[in-house]
Amino acid sequence: MKAYILGRQDPMCSKIFEQVRGIVFLATPHGGASDAKLLNSILKALPFSTSRKEYIAQLEPTSHLLQDINDQFSKTCSELTLVSFYETMRTVFARGVKKIIVERASAILGYPQEHSSPLAADHHSICKFISTTDENYVCVKGVLKMMRSKIDFAAGLPSALPASQRPLSSVSVRSTQDGAGERRSSAAEATKELQEILGITSSLESELNARMAQKMEGSCQWFPRKQSFQDWFECAGMNAPVFILTAPPAAGKSTLASHVIQWIQDISFDTACQYFFFVSDHQLKRTVSYCLRMIAFQLALRYDAVRDALFRLKDETNATFERQSSKDVWEKIFRGIIFRIPFKEDIFWILDALDESDTPSILCEMLMKSRSMTPIKILVTSRETWDVSNFICNAKDKVIHEALTPADTYEDIKECVSATVRANLPQDRKSRDEVIDQILIKANGSFLWVRLTLDTIRENWHTHEDIRKALRDVPEGMEPLYAGMLGQISQQNPSKRAMAREILTWIVCSYRPLDLFELEAALTTTFGDFLSLEDTISQICGHFVRVTDGKVTLVHATARDFLLNQSNGFIEKHEGHQKLALACLRYLSDDNWRHICALSLRNPKLTKPTHSSRYGDQHPFLTYATQHWAYHVKNAVCNSDELWDALDTFVHGYILVWIHGIAISSSLQTLVRTAQDLRYFCHRHARERAIIADPPISLKTHNTHWLRSWATDLIRIVRKFGRVLLQNPLSIYRLIPVFCPSKSQIGMVYGRTPDSGVSVAGISSSWWDDCMACVSGIEDETISRVFPTESYFVTLVSTKGKAIVWSSETCAELRSIHHNEYTTHMAVNKLGTMLATAGVRTVRVWELSSGKEIGGFPQNSEAKTMTLTFGHSDGSLIIGREDFSVQTYGISSGLVTLTFWTRPQQNFDMNGPRFMTISPDLMKIAVAERGKPVFVWDMELFQDQQPWRCVRHTDRLRSINEQEAWTASEVVCWHPDGTSIFILYQGSGIVHWNFTEDTQKEYSHIEGREMVLSKDGNFLLTSNPSGTLYVWALPRFNLIYKLFYEDIVRDIAFSPDGQRIYDSRGAICNVWEPDILIRQDDSGRDDVSSNHDSGAESSILSDPITHISQNDSTVSQITALVCDSEDEYYCCGRDDGSVAIHSAKDGTKLRKVYNHSTMASIVALEWSKSGKFIVSGDDAGRIICKRLESKGKGIWAVFPGFDIRVNDLVRQFVFHPNEGSLLISTESSDRIWRIRGKTKREICRKSWPSSMGRRWSLCPDDSNILLWIDPHKIDTFRWEDLELHLSQSFNPTPADERRWETEAGRPSLNRTPSSGTESVRCISATRNGRQLIIETVPTGSFSSLAPRNTRVHHVPTFSTTSRNTDAVRRVALADLAQQTSRVLGIFNDRTLFLDTTFWVCTWELTGLVPAIKRHFFLPRDWISPTSLQLVTYNEHGTVFCPRNGEVAIVKNGIKT
């Protein structure tokens, strides 16, 4: 590094060093070596040594020289490719003394362009390789080859690597049309974002290198010459078959797969090869979802089109795929993106060890149904399991099957045996040949058997008789060999046997392979420090374990099955998981972790990827314990008192610290997976208690309720407070618990602690509310349709032709789409980026992220639209009409490209179909005519086909004369597999009809009006005529959720992930999140999809667990809110016309003051400062004023005031400071009323042509003056007659010279706002009245909370004591406005506002650098456009927020 720095600075050498493109470091102590000081002391103590060695002192971690070199190098290496290898093995100092010389944290620089990798070597051997097959040599060589490829590519030379293996930095990162490329200007940024989008957490290259390292030079050459392989490889056309290579376990399938990958990469520059290795002992890498995401990641690294499509999808929908199921990944990424791109080169996919995946049948089904614009040739290796055999049988014409035989691999095995024996018996040819022959006779094609046998014999290569005896004793087959290995472990002394069992238990039961440091940290609490754990493993674990690149794994997947086999009794699965669960829980139940988490927040660098490795080095077991303790609890023994005690200790003392750590690492999905695992454990506990005739006392006494409640709490915390946790991890201690329900576990244990400070009252619900939000479209207009996507949900008001797009995260209104005619249908494309709406005369297509129209065409038929969906591409739409036609249209051209008739045209029925529903794969359509059965047509066959017809069993029993009187069908839902449908019949249940087999299952007990199926086909949602919602678990139709609600349902829908329910009732759309819908995800858990104990586990999860919820739709909603100045009371007006006073202590209703009409809603409410007068206005123009008198203890007397009607809605009330007069401000007029004395009357009135965006305020200097403030000026008027006293304009500032654009909502700098385009929403003054904060929004956008709609100005000095008409100085607070959803006012001379993430914040008006301080947040289920407009506060800092007909009272939130 120093040489490079000096060379760049030296004029004579600079040109040479400019040619340096990369540097490879081998265990270089960039951060120094901790043992340097010790070494100096030792050297100084030696004879003839007089002083410490200065060059050694410079290697100490505190060395200024090292710091200077690192600082200088970081400024000169930006264009270099840096690779740092670090040692993983201890170096021998003396007998029995071993130590790592250069720790990983010191060997890694942490620069953005740096790549790091471990080598299985100590400090002496890290740069000394045994041979060209040395794993370390292969790894370093691969890196050098990669760097050479980058250099060649930059110089325009042919690459040394195939394109598919080039780093992204050697492939141009092209800018996308929407500017996304500008934000991803570097290859490193693009790669990192792709990893975030796809949830990629590992490198495939290392796995390929590890498998190639096991391959002997010259082996596997026979396979590409096989005729079956040649037929597959050279196959041309779109229907390339899938090559399936099957073989017994340990026959070399993975080595063959790696050889094919390398062979394809080397054979042609124009060939792309993506690959994936399923790994049974890594729960994530055995999932189909991760496999698909890894294939997509490799394609995105190679192809601009794939990469840019993923970036656009992320930009438009904020979609990521880490949590999504394999089916969703397949639909959105492969069918939605990859299969629609015409690649210009051959594409090959190599998938190894399909039998080790979690759901091989799902992947097989996907491969059978894949349709791509580019031929994709797929090679799969697997054991011949039932799933694979079934796939081969069902897809004979689409599969080339090659079964590997011992004869195929005989020569490779012979060479492997010969090389090993020759190396160990170089002189004794006779014995060598005897050993080779005997091993080959028994090998039977198993490489693993050969390797383990050679390891066993190698230990006995002392005499000829020893060798012969070893050969005689070696059994044939893996099972007997494993049994012999286990016998050797059992023959060890008790301490070694116990240690071997413990080590094997950790390796067998761990969620993923552990590295040596993690395993050693886990074992230290039991056995103390190890001199060399790797040596211990090799000595006592009987060849069951191997250590590769620092990772500890079993020799083969079959070894795990053998060790868990109950017949040998060595490792019992549930007891093993209990050991690991206890170790993890005890490790996390440590008081030091809170201090460590707080330290990481004070040093943000510790949480960055470049520094996380150093943090992990200090606590190597922390990451594993944090992420996977619940996985082991899930699989542990249910009746263990020790485990239940450990769980109790953890959740009652340390769970908040654990959540804090999860939030710091930004991996909140860990909380959800933990909740799923805890629920699973409770289910197992309940099942075992139920099925055991005489259960143990522990099973009877353990109460699982509190643990189930914690599982629910964890899910709700993520849903309700997820964004808050990521923004402020420390909020888990002081804020989040107090916002949790009082009877939740976190609320009971942590929410009422004395030091919490903040308190919440007024909410009657003591448990989590399933209602996440309640949004309204257009007042009094019925929402006819609701359509959810991952990022948005869209509501349609057909009568207005208006679709409203809402955020699925915050449920805030984002934009409106105006079709401008009666609109009957809408549809969203697979990616959730486009919306199509069908009106009577036109069909229009919109971009969801912006609301822009991007296509459309006129309806070419007068027949009514019955169904609408996007076609196989986003450039086409399929429309089914009342004339029984189904037509495909090109969106850009509006031309019909295909027409299909669902009945012969000569039999046209004037009544038309009752409904038409297209299957998810767009190949079939279900049609029901009035008075007829349901028909299913195959749209890929000819018109003269005979459709499938569903005749219910009850209809088949009718007489011939009654054949026309069919039971009416109301709704049809397609099952995702496209082979069956669910039919809802009017008043007589549901029929599940498999039309391909013509079988029916009838469920007559289900009463339904609407019906919808979840996207994965696991849940069916129905609503009955009274509005009650039911969720049924399929295929058994178990009722798992019931929600009582009294309004009639117009439409219902599941969210794409099936975890949220939407329903429309009148003008309201409700969003429900029942936690019962949270189930095991597809992110790598050893769950019901596992090959182990799947039958028992699936039966547990399929048990009906009914959850009944009730939501009172009759509760009147709060529409106006005002509080007193003494922090004792607040008053609210409701949509039933009532006005009532409540206690500000707990929200108790004290007195209904009076009522407007029950059909009217209160829209304006004001309470005088003394509390003696209250006035309200409703949406019918009625105004009521009353005089109040407090009798103490919450008792109020009410006296008459006045009751009048006006022609406009009231916008504002203002009381005179002496409370003798009242200003009533409406849209077009203002009037002053006298409210004291016997005669209440109007004093004066002024009319205006429009509202002019005004708002009134009291004058700080003169109680007889009123301030009129609009976006352009401040006018002063006299209270007595509303005559103008003084008019002062605001001085224009650069930030004022903007107008509001309705198209994109972005400010333009071309002119000032025109009159009437803006309105003042909030005015607030400091205590002395000299400073004002003014918030303005576009007229008509009072309910909008988008920051682009808000402008905030500060008036630093203001006075009305003179007649000065000079312009008032006004400062635009542009930065504050960008962070503001709504200004609440001024509290203690600080601006109080809601930011864009709905935190209550203050902004300092004084000071050289105004600072924003966050105080607390509003929970997600409090947030709605209506409630947030009513949020208010009093002079004591108490904040009031309406929520579901109540008022949440937050005290002490902004006092600090």
Side-chain angles (χ1 to χ4, degrees), residues 50-354:
T50 59
S51 63
R52 64 199 299 264
K53 306 296 182 181
E54 193 60 35
Y55 64 87
I56 296 178
Q58 291 174 355
L59 292 178
E60 294 178 11
T62 58
S63 167
H64 294 295
L65 178 63
L66 282 181
Q67 295 177 13
D68 291 342
I69 292 175
N70 287 329
D71 290 342
Q72 295 177 48
F73 186 67
S74 65
K75 300 173 183 177
T76 58
C77 69
S78 58
E79 298 179 356
L80 296 180
T81 297
L82 304 177
V83 180
S84 298
F85 290 101
Y86 54 89
E87 60 202 74
T88 58
M89 300 173 65
R90 293 176 171 84
T91 302
V92 178
F93 276 78
R95 186 174 181 180
V97 180
K98 294 182 179 182
K99 190 172 182 63
I100 288 183
I101 303 296
V102 179
E103 299 284 351
R104 177 185 177 186
S106 179
I108 297 175
L109 290 163
Y111 297 163
Q113 74 273 30
E114 181 191 24
H115 303 274
S116 62
S117 180
L119 289 180
D122 59 21
H123 198 66
H124 290 163
S125 62
I126 195 165
C127 57
K128 301 171 184 177
F129 309 114
I130 299 173
S131 66
T132 56
T133 60
D134 187 332
E135 292 182 12
N136 294 339
Y137 174 82
V138 172
C139 185
V140 175
K141 178 183 175 183
V143 167
L144 293 173
K145 195 174 179 182
M146 185 75 72
M147 296 174 71
R148 169 65 186 277
S149 176
K150 288 185 62 176
I151 296 171
D152 291 344
F153 187 86
L157 301 174
S159 176
L161 285 179
S164 61
Q165 295 304 304
R166 292 184 218 146
L168 185 59
S169 54
S170 68
V171 183
S172 61
V173 183
R174 300 175 185 172
S175 299
T176 55
Q177 293 179 355
D178 60 0
E182 297 176 5
R183 299 195 306 277
R184 310 172 179 99
S185 55
S186 72
E189 290 176 356
T191 302
K192 182 179 179 181
E193 185 162 1
L194 285 172
Q195 291 172 331
E196 292 173 353
I197 293 172
L198 297 170
I200 302 301
T201 59
S202 61
S203 169
L204 270 178
E205 185 182 348
S206 59
E207 295 185 26
L208 177 61
N209 289 338
R211 285 162 175 76
M212 289 300 297
Q214 298 175 14
K215 174 180 168 294
M216 289 196 62
E217 192 75 28
S219 64
C220 303
Q221 301 295 331
W222 54 272
F223 185 67
R225 296 194 292 267
K226 268 187 170 289
Q227 187 60 48
S228 57
F229 181 87
Q230 290 291 323
D231 292 342
W232 169 77
F233 184 78
E234 296 173 0
C235 179
M238 301 301 298
N239 298 318
V242 177
F243 190 103
I244 298 183
L245 177 68
T246 59
K253 298 184 295 296
S254 295
T255 304
L256 271 176
S258 62
H259 175 76
V260 170
I261 294 167
Q262 188 178 55
W263 184 84
I264 292 175
Q265 290 174 352
D266 292 342
I267 198 171
S268 173
F269 181 82
D270 294 326
T271 301
C273 181
Q274 291 76 46
Y275 55 91
F276 185 78
F277 300 97
F278 286 102
V279 182
S280 63
D281 59 356
H282 195 302
Q283 301 305 317
L284 178 61
K285 293 181 182 179
R286 62 189 291 265
T287 63
V288 173
S289 173
Y290 193 71
C291 166
L292 296 176
R293 288 184 275 135
M294 188 62 86
I295 295 293
F297 178 67
Q298 295 172 76
L299 286 166
L301 291 181
R302 180 178 178 88
Y303 298 108
D304 292 346
V306 178
R307 182 165 61 251
D308 291 346
L310 287 171
F311 286 159
R312 280 195 300 272
L313 182 62
K314 175 67 163 59
D315 292 338
E316 294 177 12
T317 67
N318 200 33
T320 57
F321 293 90
E322 181 180 6
R323 294 177 53 186
Q324 300 204 21
S325 68
S326 56
K327 292 182 180 179
D328 286 336
V329 175
W330 180 260
E331 286 293 323
K332 294 172 187 175
I333 297 182
F334 287 83
R335 294 187 62 185
I337 296 176
I338 294 171
F339 291 164
R340 298 182 180 185
I341 298 175
F343 301 108
K344 296 181 179 179
E345 58 190 13
D346 294 337
I347 293 180
F348 292 84
W349 293 349
I350 311 300
L351 308 178
D352 177 56
L354 178 62

Side-chain angles (χ1 to χ4, degrees), residues 1231-1244:
R1231 62 200 77 195
I1232 303 292
W1233 268 73
R1234 186 181 304 280
I1235 58 175
R1236 280 191 183 272
K1238 295 182 179 180
T1239 305
K1240 281 75 174 176
R1241 63 182 179 86
E1242 182 179 302
I1243 299 174
C1244 62

Side-chain angles (χ1 to χ4, degrees), residues 474-500:
V474 171
E476 293 187 43
M478 291 306 306
E479 286 283 330
L481 184 61
Y482 284 151
M485 292 160 55
L486 189 59
Q488 292 177 4
I489 294 175
S490 300
Q491 292 171 8
Q492 299 177 122
N493 64 54
S495 61
K496 288 184 178 180
R497 186 166 62 246
M499 185 179 292

Side-chain angles (χ1 to χ4, degrees), residues 612-629:
S612 60
S613 59
R614 302 184 185 185
Y615 189 70
D617 286 339
Q618 299 173 18
H619 311 283
F621 189 57
L622 179 59
T623 299
Y624 185 90
T626 298
Q627 294 180 349
H628 305 304
W629 65 268

Side-chain angles (χ1 to χ4, degrees), residues 410 414 417-418 421 429-443 449 471:
Y410 180 83
K414 182 178 180 181
V417 174
S418 300
V421 175
R429 182 171 182 176
K430 181 179 179 182
S431 297
R432 187 171 65 213
D433 292 343
E434 181 181 357
V435 170
I436 293 172
D437 291 342
Q438 289 296 318
I439 290 178
L440 290 176
I441 290 172
K442 296 182 178 182
W449 183 91
L471 288 171

Side-chain angles (χ1 to χ4, degrees), residues 77 497 939 976 1109 1446:
C77 69
R497 186 166 62 246
M939 294 191 292
S1109 182
E1446 299 177 314

Side-chain angles (χ1 to χ4, degrees), residues 385-404:
T385 61
W386 183 91
D387 291 314
V388 174
S389 300
N390 190 49
F391 176 47
I392 295 170
C393 180
N394 293 336
K396 291 180 179 179
D397 56 334
K398 298 181 180 180
V399 166
I400 295 177
H401 177 215
E402 180 76 29
L404 206 63

